[in-house]
Amino acid sequence: MCGIVGYIGNRQAAPILLEGLSRLEYRGYDSAGLAVRSGSGEVELVKAKGRLKVLAEKTNGGQTLRGECGIGHTRWATHGEPSETNAHPHATEDRGVVGVHNGIIENYKELKEVLQHTGYRFYSQTDTEVALKLVDYYLKKYKGGPIDAIAHTMMRIRGSYALALMFRDYPGEIFVARKDSPLIVGAGGDETFIASDVPAILKYTRTVYYVGNMEIGRLSAGQVHFYNIDQDEIAKEPAEIDWDAEAAEKGGFEHFMMKEIHEQPRAVQDTLGAIIKDDRIDAGWMGLTEEEIRELRQIYMVACGSAYHVGVAAQYVIEDLAGIPVRVELASEFRYRTLLLDTDTLVIVISQSGETADSLAALREAKEHGARTLGIVNVVGSSIAREADHVFYTLAGPEIAVATTKAYSTQLIAAYALALEMARVRGRMEEDRYLASVAELRTLPDKMARVLEDKERIQWFAAKFASAKDIFFIGRGIDYAVSMEGSLKMKEISYVHSEAYAAGELKHGTISLVEDGTLVVGVLTQPALYEKTVSNMLETKTRGAYLMGLTSYGNYNVEDTADFTVYVPRTDPHFATSLAIIPLQLMAYYVSVARGLDVDKPRNLAKSVTVE
Ligand code: AGP
């Protein structure tokens, strides 16, 4: 949510900032702005409502803003409507402090009143303006310089923030601070970069510093210094990013989402490669000893959105294979409920970004309640990765499209590996079956690639239903988990209302919404539940539904019921989600394209939700 960039060096900052923002537009795109300054001159500010291209046009690609030091922002509105006034950067009246912010200042109203009493006036509805005027207030009150003013501000504000600030009296420097919102600093020779996420600076440097929680940074061209909240300087080692720069490009595809859908076999292959050694799952990756696995009493899987749907699928797999009770919780609910956790509870937090505010808060709650924690995370060095007791990195690479595809697929692999390992250690799986299951996992990338070969048929079908009003996705067990993700994909990028239902539950109310021509997608990959789901599909057909069946090769009698059928290769039913989801991702993609929508940046959404 919201993207921040910054640059200090010997080149013109504005074009570099615009380039960086274009890589962060997935984080928010309702307005954008730049603040640039040359030497000790005035800070120049330009803001624009709408997509980044409006700002780029307004500044002629950054050419109209001269200066070698600057900050930029792309916004996902929280406080205040999307408008030029509310767009960042914000500034004090005398431009003594200019800044950009990602996150939410929870006590901004109270602070605003206090500042108003001391004479500050406000031009925007944002919490950001309050934060930087508070910095200005402390700067003038204590006269201790920017680090001191920022530290005082951090102790006064509640909420989450990544801040990048420029001070009139400190030319050539940018100050950053962070709590619970991501921020990295890139170092490249005589240049220093700031970004919310790695892709923004990958073109310039691979050497990054992760700004820690409650830390402050003082940056100038080629120099970085970090401080804790007590203003003591702290030593920080840089990390090297080993991502391929091309991974953050579209690579010939029209949209990132389509590219990422096609990257799934490779991402799954890479992730499997990290887990499987000598035909076995390398038990070390989850960080738990065999004794700890044997002692586990319960598992919680906690996440948001698609990552939550991974948890729903994993629940069926882990309970069935390993015999451990699993509860799947939405992070936003988990964090506020009475938690009955202990050291024999494993809380697994799943997150692509590793920065989702609710998931991070849930992780902290779990730790506070004494549970062991494991993060399944894609973004290296992210907050969840750093704070969980153990972390498993999915190797999806940078995921840019707001709608997740390849990260979801790699998270599933982590869940399968966990289930198999737990089943083996707890004596629930014979050696032969274990080895056969691991071998089956290795077949998934090829099978996923085969599903992708069928995409033209799905494109044709999606075009037929591009103007659908409602779509229902139904399935039982693991197929219900697939349905949930298929439905979310459809909603988020095509804006078609859809619902996922446990197939047997539809008749308890929702079936009343089915009318002539309503599309019902029945997911049928689980042999034990096949007949049951077919019956539920028939119940909708007799009420006028148009049926799409999604099943495995061999189940050809589904065509007696379904009007249109998509087949995926056979696999162990526990792993079927990995294959069945691909046609549904494609279907959502093609419906979105047919409706002329912005597939990669759907309205109202942002890639990583760093606010509550
Ligand atoms: C899925 O397509 C969504 N964009 C969204 O539901 C996402 O999965 C959710 O916000 C969780 O994000 P995370 O994996 O980065 O924590």
Side-chain angles (χ1 to χ4, degrees):
M1 308 243 110
C2 298
I4 290 178
V5 291
Y7 173 80
I8 323 161
N10 39 29
R11 289 188 269 176
Q12 287 302 310
I16 294 173
L17 297 174
L18 281 173
E19 158 84 26
L21 287 178
S22 73
R23 315 274 161 175
L24 295 182
E25 228 190 340
Y26 68 87
R27 300 180 66 86
Y29 30 83
D30 57 47
S31 57
L34 298 175
V36 173
R37 121 188 256 196
S38 183
S40 54
E42 272 287 298
V43 177
E44 279 188 78
L45 270 176
V46 183
K47 311 200 262 188
K49 184 181 169 198
R51 294 288 166 98
L52 187 63
K53 66 176 187 336
V54 184
L55 179 71
E57 277 161 21
K58 202 167 171 180
T59 59
N60 190 19
Q63 299 304 319
T64 58
L65 279 174
R66 308 300 293 169
E68 304 75 29
C69 175
I71 50 181
H73 189 268
T74 178
R75 182 169 186 247
W76 188 88
T78 55
H79 296 68
E81 56 172 16
S83 69
E84 196 169 311
T85 309
N86 288 329
H88 302 212
H90 287 284
T92 54
E93 269 165 56
D94 59 358
R95 300 235 170 135
V97 185
V98 178
V100 290
H101 163 224
N102 167 26
I104 287 186
I105 310 296
E106 287 168 2
N107 54 341
Y108 82 104
K109 278 198 179 137
E110 155 206 329
L111 294 171
K112 192 171 184 173
E113 274 174 32
V114 173
L115 288 167
Q116 275 165 337
H117 277 295
T118 64
Y120 280 90
R121 282 176 302 174
F122 291 84
Y123 59 84
S124 78
Q125 300 154 294
T126 65
D127 50 348
T128 307
E129 189 190 352
V130 176
L132 71 93
K133 287 188 171 166
L134 192 63
V135 173
D136 185 63
Y137 169 77
Y138 285 125
L139 191 68
K140 289 175 175 148
K141 180 171 177 184
Y142 296 115
K143 301 190 174 30
I147 304 269
D148 181 72
I150 293 170
H152 275 97
T153 304
M154 289 166 82
M155 285 187 280
R156 193 76 173 77
I157 56 181
R158 284 201 310 272
S160 60
Y161 48 84
L163 285 166
L165 304 171
M166 295 163 76
F167 292 81
R168 191 189 44 214
D169 298 335
Y170 295 80
E173 290 189 285
I174 299 176
F175 295 79
V176 295
R178 158 177 194 264
K179 178 178 171 262
D180 296 344
S181 289
L183 196 68
I184 58 166
V185 170
D190 290 342
E191 298 177 300
T192 303
F193 303 85
I194 302 163
S196 300
D197 198 358
V198 172
I201 56 174
L202 209 49
K203 190 169 162 190
Y204 308 105
T205 182
R206 289 169 177 277
T207 307
V208 303
Y209 294 88
Y210 292 102
V211 184
N213 249 355
M214 302 303 277
E215 287 178 3
I216 303 167
R218 176 174 200 155
L219 319 172
S220 54
Q223 295 226 28
V224 296
H225 296 278
F226 294 97
Y227 302 84
N228 62 22
I229 191 78
D230 297 324
Q231 304 180 44
D232 301 322
E233 185 159 0
I234 48 176
K236 197 179 272 293
E237 284 302 313
E240 285 298 313
I241 301 292
D242 59 4
W243 286 357
D244 176 358
E246 280 174 22
E249 306 288 340
K250 279 190 202 149
F253 287 91
E254 202 181 334
H255 299 101
F256 277 111
M257 184 179 176
M258 195 47 138
K259 177 187 171 234
E260 289 162 6
I261 287 174
H262 279 81
E263 283 174 343
Q264 290 181 108
R266 197 269 312 141
V268 164
Q269 179 90 55
D270 289 353
T271 305
L272 284 170
I275 307 173
I276 300 175
K277 300 268 176 317
D278 301 328
D279 300 330
R280 311 181 71 83
I281 289 160
D282 177 6
W285 72 265
M286 71 178 100
L288 297 175
T289 63
E290 295 206 351
E291 199 185 335
E292 285 169 328
I293 293 175
R294 272 191 286 272
E295 281 168 1
L296 281 181
R297 221 172 32 81
Q298 60 175 348
I299 295 174
Y300 276 80
M301 309 205 73
V302 186
C304 303
S306 295
Y308 169 78
H309 299 155
V310 170
V312 177
Q315 176 186 36
Y316 292 106
V317 182
I318 296 173
E319 288 191 337
D320 197 39
L321 296 182
I324 307 174
V326 179
R327 282 177 71 156
V328 194
E329 298 273 350
L330 291 164
S332 52
E333 291 292 313
F334 177 88
R335 61 184 292 191
Y336 293 120
R337 63 186 294 168
T338 305
L339 295 176
L340 305 173
L341 313 176
D342 55 25
T343 50
D344 295 338
T345 303
L346 175 65
V347 175
I348 303 172
V349 179
I350 310 170
S351 176
Q352 186 285 129
S353 62
E355 300 292 349
T356 300
D358 284 320
S359 303
L360 181 58
L363 171 70
R364 290 177 180 162
E365 281 295 320
K367 286 180 80 174
E368 227 158 76
H369 282 77
R372 297 165 204 271
T373 58
L374 168 68
I376 296 176
V377 178
N378 194 42
V379 176
V380 177
S382 55
S383 300
I384 292 173
R386 281 181 289 156
E387 292 188 28
D389 297 330
H390 308 289
V391 59
F392 175 71
Y393 282 119
T394 51
L395 300 182
E399 192 178 62
I400 310 294
V402 165
T404 182
T405 51
K406 60 176 179 168
Y408 167 88
S409 284
T410 54
Q411 289 161 353
L412 283 172
I413 296 299
Y416 302 154
L418 206 64
L420 289 177
E421 202 45 27
M422 289 177 169
R424 182 190 68 76
V425 171
R426 291 168 73 102
R428 302 256 315 183
M429 199 176 247
E430 300 287 316
E431 177 74 358
D432 284 0
R433 186 171 167 216
Y434 170 79
L435 291 175
S437 300
V438 175
E440 182 58 31
L441 275 185
R442 296 181 112 152
T443 67
L444 288 176
D446 281 348
K447 290 177 178 170
M448 293 170 87
R450 275 173 58 200
V451 180
L452 287 167
E453 285 166 12
D454 214 13
K455 66 179 183 211
E456 270 81 21
R457 264 188 92 232
I458 295 164
Q459 182 174 17
W460 168 83
F461 182 72
K464 262 170 70 112
F465 280 91
S467 53
K469 195 161 63 67
D470 300 296
I471 302 179
F472 293 90
F473 294 81
I474 63 171
R476 288 168 179 255
I478 286 174
D479 290 334
Y480 174 43
V482 178
S483 301
M484 291 170 93
E485 177 60 5
S487 172
L488 181 64
K489 287 280 95 68
M490 183 61 74
K491 274 185 280 223
E492 68 177 331
I493 60 168
S494 75
Y495 317 154
V496 173
H497 168 254
S498 77
E499 287 195 43
Y501 251 79
E505 182 65 14
L506 206 61
K507 57 184 168 295
H508 294 287
T510 308
I511 202 165
S512 63
L513 294 173
V514 172
E515 49 190 43
D516 255 358
T518 303
L519 176 59
V520 175
V521 180
V523 186
L524 305 134
T525 67
Q526 303 298 302
L529 300 165
Y530 179 86
E531 297 296 344
K532 302 276 176 207
T533 304
V534 167
S535 303
N536 299 133
M537 288 166 71
L538 274 169
E539 287 160 9
T540 67
K541 189 167 186 155
T542 53
R543 285 151 183 95
Y546 185 94
L547 287 182
M548 170 176 151
L550 171 55
T551 190
S552 310
Y553 283 109
N555 295 335
Y556 301 119
N557 63 0
V558 70
E559 297 198 24
D560 300 341
T561 310
D563 301 293
F564 175 76
T565 308
V566 174
Y567 294 99
V568 295
R570 284 193 170 277
T571 184
D572 179 330
H574 294 100
F575 310 148
T577 313
S578 294
L579 304 179
I581 194 56
I582 295 176
L584 302 186
Q585 294 169 341
L586 289 167
M587 197 163 111
Y589 173 85
Y590 285 124
V591 169
S592 176
V593 171
R595 291 166 71 100
L597 301 173
D598 189 338
V599 176
D600 287 336
K601 300 187 195 96
R603 71 181 176 206
N604 304 339
L605 296 178
K607 180 73 179 163
S608 82
V609 184
T610 53
V611 294
E612 221 186 300

